[in-house]
Amino acid sequence: MASALPVDSPARLGPAMHALVALKAIVARELTKFVRQWSRLVSALVRPALWLIVVAAGFQNVLGVSIIAPYRTYITYQEYMLPGLLGMMLLFNGMQSSLSLVYDREMGMMRLLLTAPMPRWYVLFAKLLAGTLLSLAQAYAFLLVARLFNVQIPLGGWLTVLPALLVAGLMLGSIGLVLSVYIRQLENFAGTMNFVIFPMFFCSSALYPLWKLRESGASFLWWVAQANPFTHAVELIRFAAYGQFNAVALLVVLGVGIVSFLLAVFGYDPQRGQMMRKGRE
């Protein structure tokens, strides 16, 4: 007698196939939402484009860039800023993906996902991967926009930068996951984003080489930038865009990403949440 269960029923799928089906469903949901909201792509491109066209033009003669690794010759300030602006796109999209988690949790969608018959870490990883894939699409779209203004990385860098963008996007998305654990309302999350995004962006090598901070006497800011994981994400992207490898940056990005993801998994434990609520009562 033929089974009455559908072909894609979890009872008829092996654990591996069931995990792939769940991953496909979660990623497809995020991609479908993005495709239906073209304004998200436009807004994501306008922000770094303004920095590239307006801000970089104003500071080009003030912040000239000398020959430093990974560059083999003098470069324009716009070319120096390009990896930092790619990192900024990953940072903003990672935080926006976490903002959607706060919304889903309030509306009940995230609670439904966390009760699915699969490990909680896998559900969170699927959400994280979906957000990172959106970040990659936006980053490459911005590379096309930058190319229109004659600001570009080597053609080979379009391929070598992909792993760096992926790893950096996962790390920044994991940091956003940690924030979404402890923020329960959308209003609070919007304010927290400002306290996280702007310090991470400005206290990094996205806009200026770190040696310039030290040369100008801003030693404290130099140390802050060195401890900033976003700095290492930008440097990983910068070196990869020119076909070079930055081992220190990769280790920092991987370490921060793994620790942040583990903290997020721990924070999304429903039993722990119930214990905390009982303790407050």
Side-chain angles (χ1 to χ4, degrees), residues 76-247:
T76 63
Y77 183 54
Q78 288 90 336
E79 186 176 348
Y80 176 83
M81 281 185 62
L82 186 57
L85 295 178
L86 291 174
M88 182 179 72
M89 296 191 71
L90 300 179
L91 177 61
F92 272 85
N93 192 70
M95 294 300 166
Q96 287 180 344
S97 298
S98 301
L99 179 62
S100 69
L101 280 179
V102 178
Y103 177 80
D104 286 344
R105 186 171 54 202
E106 286 188 352
M107 301 303 294
M109 181 61 69
M110 193 60 194
R111 187 176 305 173
L112 179 62
L113 288 174
L114 291 175
T115 57
M118 64 185 69
R120 186 164 294 104
W121 67 266
Y122 187 79
V123 176
L124 291 177
F125 177 75
K127 293 281 291 184
L128 177 62
L129 180 61
T132 304
L133 292 178
L134 292 180
S135 297
L136 292 179
Q138 295 174 10
Y140 276 94
F142 178 65
L143 283 176
L144 290 173
V145 173
R147 192 175 182 85
L148 295 177
F149 294 94
N150 200 28
V151 181
Q152 54 189 309
I153 61 176
L155 289 179
W158 286 63
L159 181 61
T160 57
V161 79
L162 178 58
L165 290 172
L166 178 62
V167 175
L170 290 173
M171 181 202 73
L172 296 171
S174 297
I175 294 176
L177 279 179
V178 175
L179 294 177
S180 68
V181 169
Y182 301 100
I183 300 173
R184 300 296 176 181
Q185 296 179 352
L186 292 173
E187 296 81 2
N188 295 337
F189 193 84
T192 304
M193 286 177 62
N194 292 330
F195 281 101
V196 173
I197 291 179
F198 292 113
M200 289 184 70
F201 178 66
F202 287 109
C203 298
S204 72
S205 60
L207 300 179
Y208 27 74
L210 295 187
W211 66 267
K212 282 186 172 292
L213 295 177
R214 215 169 192 180
E215 187 181 67
S216 63
S219 299
F220 175 75
L221 187 57
W222 182 86
W223 283 109
V224 171
Q226 288 285 359
N228 183 1
F230 183 69
T231 294
H232 300 278
V234 171
E235 292 305 305
L236 183 65
I237 296 171
R238 190 187 311 280
F239 275 73
Y242 290 85
Q244 300 184 37
F245 177 66
N246 191 321

Side-chain angles (χ1 to χ4, degrees), residues 63-83:
L63 298 173
V65 179
S66 60
I67 303 176
I68 56 174
Y71 308 108
R72 296 185 175 92
T73 182
Y74 286 95
I75 59 170
T76 63
Y77 183 54
Q78 288 90 336
E79 186 176 348
Y80 176 83
M81 281 185 62
L82 186 57

